[in-house]
Amino acid sequence: MKTRRPQPAQSVTAPRTVSRVVPDPNALKALAHPVRLRMLGMLRVDGPATATQLAARLGLNSGATSYHLRQLAQYGFIEEAPHASRRDRWWRASHELTSVPASETEGEGLDLAFNQAVLSLQVGQMQQALEEYAELPAEWRKASAANDIIIPMTAKQAEALTRQLTDIILEAMRVAPPLGEAAAPGMVPFSIMLHAFPYPGRLPHHKEDGGS
């Protein structure tokens, strides 16, 4: 009778909790600023930094950078990071994700300014990614995509689909290393931007009361 050799255990990363923040209207208004959005993104992706370091990356003076950092800290988006250097003040992101629930009331646009700022930032990132695409290694070109898919759906079906896609992406994030920390060789931050909306011009717009 043959004895079976024990198989080496496969390394499986246990799912972790992805920290997120759901900002109130005042915090959302403070975050809806292109510089603050970029700062928060840098601290999330690259890890802790000082005002001087962020100023150099953003092409700003240290005074303006410190002001925006204070605004982010005031609303809980960032916090001071422990560091060996007592000479400089280091900052880190307090959460990995910002969740903005859709407005429940028709015509309400508390999140409109924030979404506009986010869209502008994302368009810039996509343009930069396109410019770098030709120089990417073949395996990363295969992993990249720019798809445009249109499906006839009801509102409930569309909501279910976007929730399902978001759940899949979040599950991948839960088994990945936290943003801003050292990752395994060959592993880099991979950006996924999910935009889902009714095809423009196919639904009636909200009209003011008393309008024609």
Side-chain angles (χ1 to χ4, degrees):
M1 181 177 181
K2 293 183 177 180
T3 57
R4 297 181 63 182
R5 294 183 179 179
Q7 298 296 317
Q10 294 183 347
S11 177
V12 178
T13 303
R16 61 183 179 83
T17 299
V18 176
S19 59
R20 66 171 69 192
V21 59
V22 182
D24 62 28
N26 288 331
L28 195 63
K29 184 178 179 180
L31 186 59
H33 188 290
V35 172
R36 291 172 204 159
L37 282 172
R38 290 184 64 191
M39 278 185 182
L40 182 57
M42 288 177 176
L43 292 174
R44 284 178 174 174
V45 174
D46 300 321
T50 66
T52 302
Q53 292 171 336
L54 291 171
R57 296 181 202 173
L58 293 165
L60 299 174
N61 61 60
S62 58
T65 304
S66 295
Y67 169 75
H68 289 304
L69 286 170
R70 288 195 300 270
Q71 291 295 304
L72 290 172
Q74 178 181 343
Y75 291 99
F77 294 108
I78 65 173
E79 59 193 12
E80 286 195 59
H83 200 270
S85 172
R86 296 183 179 181
R87 186 176 180 180
D88 298 309
R89 196 176 189 183
W90 288 74
W91 296 95
R92 67 184 177 189
S94 302
H95 315 85
E96 292 182 78
L97 290 176
T98 302
S99 296
V100 182
S103 299
E104 294 290 339
T105 305
E106 185 179 359
E108 185 177 343
L110 292 176
D111 56 352
L112 182 59
F114 173 77
N115 287 332
Q116 183 62 60
V118 169
L119 180 61
S120 298
L121 179 63
Q122 291 176 344
V123 169
Q125 290 175 343
M126 287 189 289
Q127 182 62 47
Q128 184 177 353
L130 180 61
E131 294 169 358
E132 296 177 0
Y133 180 81
E135 305 300 324
L136 289 178
E139 62 267 27
W140 283 110
R141 290 201 301 271
K142 291 179 181 179
S144 302
N147 298 323
D148 180 13
I149 302 170
I150 303 171
I151 310 170
M153 306 186 104
T154 65
K156 287 186 177 181
Q157 290 173 330
E159 181 183 1
L161 179 60
T162 54
R163 285 182 181 275
Q164 183 180 5
L165 293 172
T166 301
D167 288 343
I168 292 173
I169 296 169
L170 287 178
E171 184 58 31
M173 193 173 188
R174 291 187 187 101
V175 298
L179 284 170
E181 296 186 6
M187 184 177 286
V188 300
F190 186 68
S191 182
I192 302 169
M193 301 178 188
L194 176 60
H195 293 272
F197 48 85
Y199 194 82
R202 300 306 171 97
L203 287 174
H205 290 193
H206 173 77
K207 294 182 180 179
E208 297 293 339
D209 293 340
S212 58

